[in-house]
Amino acid sequence: MSHTELNDEANASKLESLSVRLDEAIQWLADAPNYAKPGKVRRVFDAARRLLMVEGGCAVLESRAAQFEASGVFNGSDWMYPQILLPALASLSLKSPVADTVIIEAISELRLLAIAMGDFDHPAMSAEQAHHYLTQVMALNLDLLFGTPSEAEREQQGRLALATRLLLRHLAQRIGYEHVIDQLVDEIWRILQQRPIQVDNIKKMVTQIAATRGNPDIDLGNSGQGADRLISSLYGTTQACREDPGVVVYQERLDSMDSGALQYEASGFARAMHDTGLVSPYHAVLVRHLQNQGSYLLSEALGLSSTGRDCLLCYDDLVHAIIKEGIFAQTAQGIYGLALMLERGILYQPPVAPALWRQISLPLSVYSKERLTLAYGYEPSPRARLLEGVLCMLGQPLGVGQGNNPTCQSARALSMWAYNDPDYLLQMVVWAARDDEIIIHFEGQPISSRDSVSGVAKELPFDLDPVSLIVVPHLDRIYAEMGRRCIGREGDPHRWVNPEFHGWWSGRGFRINVDVATGKLDKLEDFLRHFYASYHPYYNGNQPLIHPQPAGIAVTDSAARFIGWHAITVLRVSLDPQEVMRVYFFNPNNDSGQNWGDEVVVSTAGHGERFGESSLPFEQFASRLYIFHFDPLERGELANVSNEELQRVIDRVHRSWGADRVPAKELQADPGV
Amino acid sequence: MTEQKSAKRDPNKGYVALLGWSLSAVEAADKFDRRYVVVAPDWAEAYCKEHDIPYVPWNFERLNDRSMEIAQTLKDMGVDVSIPLFEETVEWAGAINSVLLDNPRLFGQSLLLRDKALMKRRAQLGGIRVGIFEEAHDKADVVRFLKRVNQTLLKLDGDPNDPIHLKAFDKAGCLGHRVIRTPDEVDTIPDEEFPVLMESHLDGWEFAVEAWIHNGKIRFLNISEYVTLGYSVFVPATPELEKYRDAITVQIEKLIKTFDIEFGFIHPEYFVTSDGEMYFGEVAYRPPGFKVFELLERAYGFNAYQGLILSFDPKTTEEEITNFFPKEVVDAKGVAGCFGVYPRRRVVSRLEIPAETEDHEYFESHELTPPVEETVTKRTAFGTHWGLIYFFGDDAHTMRDLLKHQEELDFYV
């Protein structure tokens, strides 16, 4: 008998005995009444952990998925509801230093695998959902799939770091590597279509794919084709950097190029940048190099249209100063922001150009420098980082994301200002970055971000773009303070807070369809008719929306269950290419392509959306809306919406977040089907 | 209080009150066929309400003139007997049961079982062998006792002393247990620990017994083997200890007679010396610590708490209790043991279960938690462990050696 056979035999007998222990432990837990379960989960965890460490253990755990679920091992935790689990959080759990967190996450993944493979019919999750979830988990944890544990992981997790690798390998083997790469690439493209400002994670993923494709041990078959463009847009975009030679070598090559060759480089980078929204570090080297070569080549390198080129020529000095101070290999994304900012023509607004000059030489407070350095490192300077952030925000106002923080209000405000009032945004940045204080007036009373005790967020966020990093903590405290000043008033505080917080253009008229005291639906039909009358071009005299308006959404999960209230901006309402009336809006969360259940799927591309916009058909949008603002001086009569259309919207409300909010009398009036 | 809805509860069987809060006991009672009620401090109320656990609030402080109140409450409810779950509720059970069962002697008996000095005297009177013991009221008493014990042992000045043991009168298990070898060490005892019970050290093999008694007869007798006192225990014991089973049974019967125990559960500790002589250490009238009940369930498959209820319930029939308990040793499916972890280093930063422990075929689970503080408080008395590790396997010797080996490993580094 060969050595490996002996090993296999030992492994098999180990698996066998561990499986028996696992089954006993699961049974023991299953037999316990609910209140006694917490004390018995341990044995299941310990049995599961030992299996995770053994070759083939994942398969055993996967085969017990239904028993796991039934035994109550997930009770009282988020894992009890697989439909609400977020793939992004899975990687945090899998890398947690707390062994139990890793184990419950692992068990949960394997349960989802059983669901995805059709071996376990779950009441709350379909095989497709589970499959989608797992591919995302794998995409986000490709490092676990291919990499070896880092020093930090080993230090924090010990041998468990190997277990998570076995887990990911098992997931990938069951679902298929090629599948992961394809999904991953599709996923990256889907997110890139929303043109987020923060692309660090995407860059990491692209790098991971590049490394995977470069690894001769992994046979990807025909998959991963769509990755070419992504990889090349970061590494090897043009002829002169095809083999990713490093910035020093590339600079040397640029030094010896004539203008024809430079133009070739410039247009190559510009194409890649506008195609993907990703900017190669080499691009920054080129743009800095072109500073001395005249505006034509620079315009080519930025990929400008005639509008942008015009703007560049008018503000030539300013643009060059911006490049000199803000564009480096580490801040290459600023090039994309710069290009889009020029295209928007906002430099023609009188205060914007001087405000940008101020930004370029802005002295930062010690505190701001520290925060920027902590988040992004020493190179280049914190000021250059902030400048990059400003360029990106002005160029991509709809690319603002709130990170993993409960600060949707502040993110929405930043986006709205960048979109509608860039000069005001620049002022906010200065106050925050230079003075460490922002003052906004609320009903005539100044509110200082310094005096306000606490904001919505419990901790200072770090996973943000440079501007948000500096400004959001101030805005968050002011927003929370405004809320505190409304305590005791009847009704929803957003009525007063939103217009004061966001700007004069937020309508002072306010409608809400939820009774704040009871949480029940309130005058839903009037609310909807009013919304149609204010926003729907067919009912408001064909008036396009002028200013972005804050609105409140009842967010539902893919099973149409209520999750929470969320702040968004309504940007415009118009017909899409398929002649469907749609509401286009900005969602400050990081990935707007969400399934809100009951066939309400938020679209981010393919229905006339501009970069960063989300959209829904008007009816579907109305069915998730709970707060909107309007101008009280505009015509206020309720729209004569057809009963069928209105009923469809109301039905959608009742089928989703309004299910348990229907007031008693409305139920009685219901004829009862 | 809500009516107990479970259909399986038999009104013809006893109605028991559990004194003190133990989730394992509640769970066992909940799954059993008898009506039960938990008597616990009011912090348990919300939990009991939430989970439909029948509950009567009572704060177990010292017995006082209100003590009759709880007895009367339970009597009015129709409760037949109360069961102490912790050392602190033993005299409460005695007081309550003397009312419920109309037997005033039960209270006196419980006081005997609560005081280690009284207990030893009573055992001595009953012809049970005990070591030398005395009560100490201050440090001087301890020094005197240490000297006298060692004189008795014919030690000369300069010979290493035999140690003596100090124990609190009325605390469970190892709480407050100290070993003193030299007069210098006496100074380390805080004054507030007095009075204490002092005992001579017995060079023997220490073990514990769990005995379920009904109608004055032993219904199940388990011998728990300690590998190292305060560290580890396993059941059933090795054949080397089990060979004393008959002798041990005789000792337990003596104990039952001496303390006049008709029903319930006792947990005595003994030493057996190399010549086979048994020395009585102490006895408790409540479930043992160190999760021995859980180990018994793992090894035999019966629920020891349900056994407890049966042995206390006056309405339990002979047939019922005979059928409930398995046959000792032969019916065990395996050996279950646990090990109490103490950090060995003075400064620790994290919990790291040694691979050899975790990978051992017998390893089952652990309940260790990450350290809260980096500095480990120096253990003065035996102290409390930081959590238990459970093992289960086929062979008692492997178990014993495995548990012993754990003492040499670091779980907190």
Side-chain angles (χ1 to χ4, degrees):
Chain A
M1 200 181 278
S2 77
H3 182 65
T4 48
E5 274 172 352
L6 267 176
N7 256 351
D8 285 352
E9 205 158 281
N11 198 49
S13 82
K14 196 168 180 187
L15 267 185
E16 175 65 31
S17 81
L18 287 177
S19 308
V20 172
R21 273 182 196 265
L22 176 71
D23 290 337
E24 284 174 351
I26 293 179
Q27 195 55 47
W28 196 52
L29 176 66
D31 288 345
N34 267 333
Y35 59 80
K37 284 191 195 294
K40 311 210 161 183
V41 167
R42 267 263 52 89
R43 218 170 108 191
V44 177
F45 276 11
D46 282 320
R49 181 182 46 189
R50 297 176 70 194
L51 272 166
L52 281 172
M53 303 273 204
V54 182
E55 196 79 36
C58 286
V60 174
L61 292 168
E62 183 194 338
S63 70
R64 307 297 196 276
Q67 289 93 313
F68 269 124
E69 177 109 5
S71 74
V73 73
F74 301 114
N75 283 10
S77 73
D78 286 350
W79 289 278
M80 194 173 168
Y81 312 98
Q83 65 276 15
I84 66 161
L85 294 178
L86 296 174
L89 296 183
S91 48
L92 291 178
S93 307
L94 289 175
K95 286 169 187 165
S96 164
V98 181
D100 289 350
T101 310
V102 181
I103 294 162
I104 195 168
E105 182 66 44
I107 300 175
S108 172
E109 306 299 359
L110 290 164
R111 163 191 58 172
L112 288 164
L113 181 59
I115 298 172
M117 304 313 276
D119 299 331
F120 173 25
D121 286 327
H122 196 280
M125 202 154 187
S126 67
E128 292 73 27
Q129 284 172 310
H131 195 277
H132 180 64
Y133 174 89
L134 288 174
T135 49
Q136 282 179 293
V137 167
M138 281 189 282
L140 290 165
N141 292 287
L142 278 186
D143 54 331
L144 288 182
L145 205 46
F146 304 128
T148 46
S150 69
E151 205 51 54
E153 282 175 279
R154 268 201 298 273
E155 181 63 26
Q156 288 196 314
Q157 292 194 312
R159 301 190 307 146
L160 217 49
L162 298 172
T164 53
R165 280 162 175 77
L166 280 177
L167 169 72
L168 262 286
R169 218 173 69 201
H170 180 73
L171 292 179
Q173 274 162 358
R174 298 278 283 154
I175 290 201
Y177 282 93
E178 62 297 335
H179 210 75
V180 192
I181 293 282
D182 283 341
Q183 294 272 323
L184 178 61
V185 170
D186 289 350
E187 184 68 16
I188 292 174
W189 276 111
R190 191 182 64 77
I191 291 172
L192 280 178
Q193 269 177 334
Q194 302 171 45
R195 290 296 192 268
I197 292 178
Q198 277 187 285
V199 289
D200 287 354
N201 276 333
I202 293 176
K203 284 184 172 173
K204 265 185 217 150
M205 284 201 247
V206 172
T207 310
Q208 191 69 51
I209 295 173
T212 306
R213 284 162 56 103
N215 184 342
D217 294 341
I218 300 167
D219 180 14
L220 288 175
N222 284 327
S223 59
Q225 298 300 331
D228 283 345
R229 187 57 167 149
L230 293 173
I231 297 169
S232 74
S233 71
L234 285 179
Y235 313 104
T237 320
T238 58
Q239 198 62 48
C241 61
R242 176 77 57 219
E243 81 287 19
D244 194 9
V247 289
V248 180
V249 174
Y250 183 65
Q251 178 66 56
E252 284 167 8
R253 290 180 189 167
L254 289 182
D255 290 339
S256 60
M257 280 186 197
D258 60 11
S259 65
L262 284 172
Q263 159 134 27
Y264 191 69
E265 288 293 302
S267 52
F269 278 122
R271 257 199 316 275
M273 175 175 83
H274 287 288
D275 207 10
T276 62
L278 297 175
V279 187
S280 164
Y282 295 114
H283 197 166
V285 178
L286 174 74
V287 166
R288 288 188 74 80
H289 182 76
L290 292 181
Q291 281 188 93
N292 315 316
Q293 312 277 332
S295 294
Y296 173 73
L297 280 174
L298 185 58
S299 154
E300 283 292 294
L302 295 177
L304 297 178
S305 72
S306 58
T307 313
R309 190 177 307 123
D310 241 21
C311 200
L312 169 67
L313 294 173
C314 283
Y315 295 94
D316 192 46
D317 287 351
L318 175 64
V319 171
H320 277 100
I322 286 174
I323 291 171
K324 183 159 171 276
E325 298 297 330
I327 303 298
F328 300 92
Q330 299 92 329
T331 56
Q333 281 303 127
I335 300 174
Y336 187 52
L338 175 64
L340 294 184
M341 180 184 77
L342 293 171
E343 292 289 354
R344 288 184 66 203
I346 54 174
L347 290 183
Y348 294 123
Q349 294 179 28
V352 172
L356 280 171
W357 278 112
R358 173 181 58 182
Q359 188 69 43
I360 289 169
S361 51
L362 187 73
L364 301 186
S365 73
V366 176
Y367 179 71
S368 301
K369 278 188 199 157
E370 262 174 25
R371 293 262 298 154
L372 286 163
T373 318
L374 263 176
Y376 305 108
Y378 290 94
E379 281 291 320
S381 69
R383 192 195 292 157
R385 276 287 173 196
L386 187 58
L387 187 54
E388 178 205 14
V390 166
L391 294 173
C392 287
M393 198 167 276
L394 290 178
Q396 305 160 259
L398 305 182
V400 180
Q402 69 195 69
N404 185 25
N405 312 294
T407 49
C408 54
Q409 304 275 349
S410 303
R412 173 174 71 176
L414 284 174
S415 156
M416 206 184 277
W417 298 332
Y419 183 83
N420 192 52
D421 198 354
D423 160 38
Y424 186 67
L425 172 72
L426 288 166
Q427 188 63 54
M428 286 289 162
V429 174
V430 170
W431 283 334
R434 184 189 63 194
D435 309 332
D436 291 332
E437 180 177 28
I438 288 182
I439 294 174
I440 298 182
H441 286 75
F442 181 69
E443 298 174 345
Q445 301 293 315
I447 294 180
S448 158
S449 59
R450 241 186 233 174
D451 302 338
S452 304
V453 205
S454 62
V456 181
K458 301 274 176 291
E459 292 167 12
L460 276 180
F462 269 104
D463 50 345
L464 295 173
D465 66 89
V467 171
S468 301
L469 183 82
I470 295 297
V471 185
V472 163
H474 293 280
L475 295 181
D476 185 37
R477 284 196 290 269
I478 291 172
Y479 172 75
E481 178 63 28
M482 287 184 179
R484 279 192 280 272
R485 298 209 179 173
C486 293
I487 289 173
R489 297 188 194 180
E490 201 176 307
D492 190 284
H494 294 103
R495 173 189 298 268
W496 304 279
V497 172
N498 277 346
E500 296 272 358
F501 187 65
H502 292 95
W504 63 266
W505 59 86
S506 304
R508 294 270 164 180
F510 177 84
R511 274 213 86 133
I512 182 167
N513 58 13
V514 177
D515 181 64
V516 178
T518 62
K520 299 286 184 199
L521 290 170
D522 186 27
K523 301 195 190 76
L524 180 57
E525 192 175 325
D526 281 1
F527 173 89
L528 290 170
R529 286 189 190 279
H530 198 165
F531 179 61
Y532 271 79
S534 304
Y535 285 81
H536 198 300
Y538 292 172
Y539 300 95
N540 72 355
N542 204 18
Q543 171 60 59
L545 186 61
I546 300 170
H547 296 108
Q549 289 295 337
I553 288 286
V555 176
T556 47
D557 66 10
S558 55
R561 278 168 297 202
F562 177 70
I563 292 185
W565 312 113
H566 188 56
I568 57 136
T569 312
V570 180
L571 298 168
R572 56 195 181 96
V573 180
S574 65
L575 290 172
D576 73 4
Q578 290 83 37
E579 299 290 313
V580 176
M581 188 61 76
R582 297 183 85 89
V583 178
Y584 296 89
F585 58 99
F586 165 71
N587 186 339
N589 74 357
N590 312 291
D591 175 9
S592 308
Q594 295 172 336
N595 183 348
W596 289 349
D598 195 21
E599 291 169 4
V600 178
V601 179
V602 181
S603 161
T604 54
H607 294 96
E609 293 90 354
R610 297 167 189 160
F611 289 142
E613 277 182 342
S614 311
S615 83
L616 278 176
F618 198 92
E619 280 182 37
Q620 295 187 9
F621 181 84
S623 75
R624 294 295 187 275
L625 185 73
Y626 87 104
I627 279 179
F628 70 90
H629 289 261
F630 61 95
D631 183 346
L633 300 181
E634 298 281 328
R635 27 174 277 156
E637 71 245 44
L638 301 181
N640 189 19
V641 187
S642 79
N643 280 334
E644 299 87 80
E645 181 163 0
L646 211 56
Q647 196 55 49
R648 281 201 300 271
V649 179
I650 291 174
D651 287 347
R652 279 191 190 280
V653 175
H654 287 179
R655 281 200 302 267
S656 60
W657 64 280
D660 48 3
R661 297 173 183 276
V662 182
K665 62 177 190 309
E666 202 164 315
L667 269 182
Q668 282 159 10
D670 197 277
V673 190
Chain B
M1 206 198 62
T2 49
E3 196 57 34
Q4 290 178 47
K5 41 196 179 298
S6 178
K8 61 184 184 183
R9 300 199 196 285
D10 188 340
N12 298 318
K13 293 181 177 173
Y15 186 174
V16 300
L18 303 174
L19 302 188
W21 176 256
S22 155
L23 197 58
S24 308
V26 174
E27 185 191 346
D30 199 38
K31 289 185 185 163
F32 207 33
D33 60 355
R34 280 156 163 81
R35 290 162 296 160
Y36 74 98
V37 60
V38 175
V39 183
D42 40 22
W43 47 254
E45 182 162 7
Y47 190 87
C48 289
K49 213 169 249 173
E50 186 187 340
H51 298 287
D52 275 335
I53 298 167
Y55 163 79
V56 170
W58 191 257
N59 288 316
F60 298 101
E61 285 145 21
R62 288 280 162 199
L63 285 175
N64 55 35
D65 41 353
R66 283 187 60 221
S67 306
M68 192 58 193
E69 205 178 301
I70 182 67
Q72 198 57 48
T73 308
L74 294 176
K75 191 171 186 176
D76 293 347
M77 286 166 61
V79 170
D80 294 302
V81 72
S82 69
I83 303 174
L85 296 180
F86 299 98
E87 190 63 30
E88 291 74 9
T89 56
V90 168
E91 76 253 35
W92 282 93
I96 292 168
N97 287 343
S98 64
V99 175
L100 295 181
L101 299 169
D102 196 20
N103 183 353
R105 254 182 338 98
L106 290 174
F107 179 53
Q109 181 199 56
S110 72
L111 291 182
L112 267 183
L113 293 165
R114 268 292 266 152
D115 185 301
K116 286 180 185 168
L118 289 179
M119 177 195 302
K120 289 224 171 193
R121 289 224 164 85
R122 178 62 168 253
Q124 217 168 19
L125 289 174
I128 297 168
R129 269 175 187 269
V130 295
I132 307 172
F133 67 94
E134 213 171 274
E135 289 155 46
H137 295 278
D138 55 35
K139 291 178 184 173
D141 289 345
V142 181
V143 176
R144 205 176 323 118
F145 184 74
L146 179 66
K147 283 202 171 135
R148 221 180 39 221
V149 165
N150 280 287
Q151 277 168 2
T152 320
L153 293 168
L154 300 177
K155 300 254 169 152
L156 302 172
D157 265 357
D159 279 352
N161 279 336
D162 251 29
I164 60 167
H165 295 259
L166 267 57
K167 292 173 182 172
F169 282 117
D170 57 353
K171 285 191 184 141
C174 292
L175 286 173
H177 183 175
R178 289 168 183 277
V179 181
I180 301 287
R181 284 165 208 279
T182 68
D184 300 348
E185 288 171 354
V186 176
D187 287 335
T188 62
I189 311 168
D191 288 331
E192 60 270 20
E193 285 193 11
F194 290 97
V196 293
L197 176 74
M198 303 177 287
E199 296 170 301
S200 60
H201 178 73
L202 289 169
D203 253 340
W205 190 355
E206 188 172 8
F207 61 90
V209 172
E210 286 79 28
W212 283 258
I213 300 157
H214 192 71
N215 285 341
K217 280 198 287 186
I218 302 171
R219 303 305 173 147
F220 188 85
L221 188 150
N222 174 63
I223 304 170
S224 293
E225 182 162 344
Y226 294 141
V227 182
T228 302
L229 181 65
Y231 275 100
S232 42
V233 63
F234 63 92
V235 298
T238 52
E240 289 77 8
L241 185 54
E242 279 290 345
K243 77 174 185 211
Y244 294 112
R245 176 170 279 276
D246 290 343
I248 291 168
T249 308
V250 171
Q251 288 293 323
I252 301 294
E253 280 164 349
K254 250 189 207 175
L255 202 62
I256 292 174
K257 214 172 137 206
T258 306
F259 285 88
D260 202 5
I261 297 168
E262 263 301 295
F263 63 88
F265 171 87
I266 56 170
H267 165 55
E269 283 177 339
Y270 288 92
F271 289 87
V272 52
T273 53
S274 42
D275 53 0
E277 197 67 67
M278 305 275 171
Y279 284 87
F280 170 74
E282 60 186 65
V283 60
Y285 196 65
R286 45 127 185 111
F290 245 75
K291 306 271 181 160
V292 172
F293 272 24
E294 279 77 358
L295 296 181
L296 281 168
E297 180 169 10
R298 186 77 180 99
Y300 286 98
F302 76 90
N303 186 305
Y305 285 101
Q306 292 175 351
L308 193 67
I309 293 173
L310 278 181
S311 62
F312 272 87
D313 179 4
K315 294 184 179 165
T316 301
T317 63
E318 191 67 28
E319 189 194 357
E320 194 180 7
I321 199 160
T322 313
N323 288 338
F324 180 84
F325 287 110
K327 180 97 191 76
E328 289 99 337
V329 188
V330 287
D331 282 350
K333 294 176 291 177
V335 183
C338 68
F339 176 79
V341 172
Y342 299 90
R344 287 160 23 112
R345 304 182 183 185
R346 284 307 308 279
V347 178
V348 296
S349 58
R350 64 176 194 278
L351 166 67
E352 191 177 287
I353 299 183
E356 58 174 303
T357 301
E358 213 172 37
D359 285 345
H360 196 280
E361 194 197 334
Y362 281 20
F363 175 82
E364 183 126 289
S365 76
H366 76 85
E367 45 191 45
L368 300 174
T369 47
V372 201
E373 293 177 14
E374 294 213 324
T375 320
V376 178
T377 326
K378 202 167 171 232
R379 279 164 68 197
T380 46
F382 265 79
T384 358
H385 53 75
W386 283 28
L388 294 171
I389 302 184
Y390 296 90
F391 298 94
F392 182 76
D394 297 331
D395 180 58
H397 292 118
T398 312
M399 180 65 76
R400 179 191 62 199
D401 299 343
L402 177 65
L403 291 172
K404 184 79 194 160
H405 180 59
Q406 302 307 309
E407 292 171 27
E408 294 158 26
L409 302 176
D410 278 315
F411 292 79
Y412 289 93
V413 293

